[in-house]
Amino acid sequence: MGRRENPIGQCGRSLHSLAAWLRAGREAAGLSYEQLAARTEFSADTLARAASGRSVPRNLQVVLAYARACGLPVREAEKYWKLARRDEARALSVLSGRRGGVHISVVKDFADLHSAIIELYQNAGRPPLRNLDARIGGLGRLPHSTAGRVLKGKSTPSRLFVLAFAEAFGVRRSDLPE
């Protein structure tokens, strides 16, 4: 038997919930990290880091593979991961002095629009920008380079970009102001 796992350290509530949920699932399945790694495409170290509580795994696939290998529901794994990623992003925004996000349906100016776009992105767990266009059919309406510039505030989005971005994150057109 391996050495005892370190306790989950000081972290945000949602990250703690994710780490504790993953650990409880592994323990209930009676698996070591090596056995878990044999059931996934990830190393034992990567899987242990995912459940450490030190940081939110950047790759959702790690969390989903961990959950599948333990027999945990993947929808729940994704929910925990998205909440932890969102809270991590919000904490970073607060530390950098950025204003909080508003809902895209109530934007009044470009600053509100930028905040709303960031809020949509963070609430979805900050998925890789390269995957955004595929969410809306992969027709080139949402290039990752443009999305990156818009999220950084270095480019003003066109109306078509805003519509495509909102669609990628499940916002209905009827919820968008003119």
Side-chain angles (χ1 to χ4, degrees), residues 35-48:
Q35 292 167 326
L36 197 61
R39 294 179 175 200
T40 71
E41 63 201 65
F42 300 102
S43 70
D45 288 340
T46 298
L47 297 165

Side-chain angles (χ1 to χ4, degrees), residues 17-92:
S17 295
L18 171 64
W21 184 78
L22 290 172
R23 286 181 177 199
R26 184 182 62 80
E27 288 173 18
L31 299 170
S32 69
Y33 282 109
E34 288 74 23
Q35 292 167 326
L36 197 61
R39 294 179 175 200
T40 71
E41 63 201 65
F42 300 102
S43 70
D45 288 340
T46 298
L47 297 165
R49 257 192 317 278
S52 71
R54 287 191 299 267
S55 65
V56 182
R58 292 191 59 86
N59 186 349
L60 170 61
Q61 297 310 312
V62 172
V63 175
L64 296 180
Y66 192 120
R68 273 189 221 98
C70 294
L72 297 169
V74 292
R75 281 192 170 198
E76 200 168 342
E78 186 172 1
K79 181 188 82 171
Y80 277 114
W81 180 81
K82 280 183 178 179
L83 286 172
R85 290 279 291 178
R86 182 201 66 199
D87 290 350
E88 178 184 67
R90 285 184 177 166
L92 291 172

Side-chain angles (χ1 to χ4, degrees), residues 129 142-150:
L129 297 179
L142 206 51
H144 69 275
S145 57
T146 304
R149 286 193 311 274
V150 169

